[in-house]
Amino acid sequence: MGIETGIDFDHPRPRLDQLIQWGSAVLAGAFVLCALASVLIALVFGLPLMVIGALFALGLAGAALLPTTAAPAVTLTERDLITRSRIWGRHAAPWSAVEMLKSYPLLPPAGAEVMRRALVGQNRYRPAEGVLIAVRTLPFPYRIHGWFAGEGFTPAIALTNRAHQDYDRLIDAVMRQTQRKSAPLLSN
């Protein structure tokens, strides 16, 4: 019933993933600095409306962090699901903390990728597929992703065919490990 020990599911293009994650972290840092500068300007010059700009910049910082938490590389073991983010590091969650939720809502719908289909080619194109899962023991940054994915502040990650090699095998292993054999969840 279990899985093989230590199966890694990495990003198909690791250098691109690294560039996106570090770029997102730098952008988020810039937004936080803008928020601090806005608060400083508000205090020094008595411009209370600058606080609204600070709140807006903090919201953008959260959105900029989304690529760092959305679909990290994962390792599956008999006991744990291990997330491996370049920014947030490794976090092991016992399978009892993993809940399969639903189809990933932040993926583009099948008919919306006209340009991607044209660039990749009709024969090589595969529609985006993914599953959003809640992992209760993940740290705060993963709560940002849960919020953007419509799950409140529940820590969540996505497993997608665009961000993980051997996606079908990954989903099969996760479904077996969480003992959820029914697939209606994936067809939403």
Side-chain angles (χ1 to χ4, degrees), residues 66-146:
L66 188 60
T68 67
T69 60
V74 295
T75 299
L76 306 183
T77 68
E78 188 67 40
R79 294 182 36 193
D80 298 319
L81 168 75
I82 302 168
T83 61
R84 296 180 290 116
S85 169
R86 294 180 190 277
I87 304 300
W88 308 111
R90 297 173 61 94
H91 298 282
W95 285 107
S96 60
V98 176
E99 300 172 4
M100 188 75 69
L101 289 180
K102 61 182 181 181
S103 293
Y104 188 41
L106 299 181
L107 290 176
E113 295 187 302
V114 176
M115 288 299 292
R116 183 181 184 103
R117 182 176 291 152
L119 290 172
V120 171
Q122 185 70 21
N123 294 338
R124 292 186 55 210
Y125 174 77
R126 182 175 173 189
E129 299 174 47
V131 175
L132 179 72
I133 60 175
V135 185
R136 294 185 306 262
T137 59
L138 288 178
F140 177 77
Y142 292 93
R143 292 178 185 273
I144 294 169
H145 178 244

Side-chain angles (χ1 to χ4, degrees), residues 12-38:
R13 299 175 68 192
R15 292 218 187 256
L16 178 62
D17 181 48
Q18 182 177 16
L19 178 67
I20 289 170
Q21 286 202 31
W22 284 107
S24 296
V26 168
L27 184 60
F31 282 129
V32 169
L33 289 176
C34 287
L36 293 173
S38 295

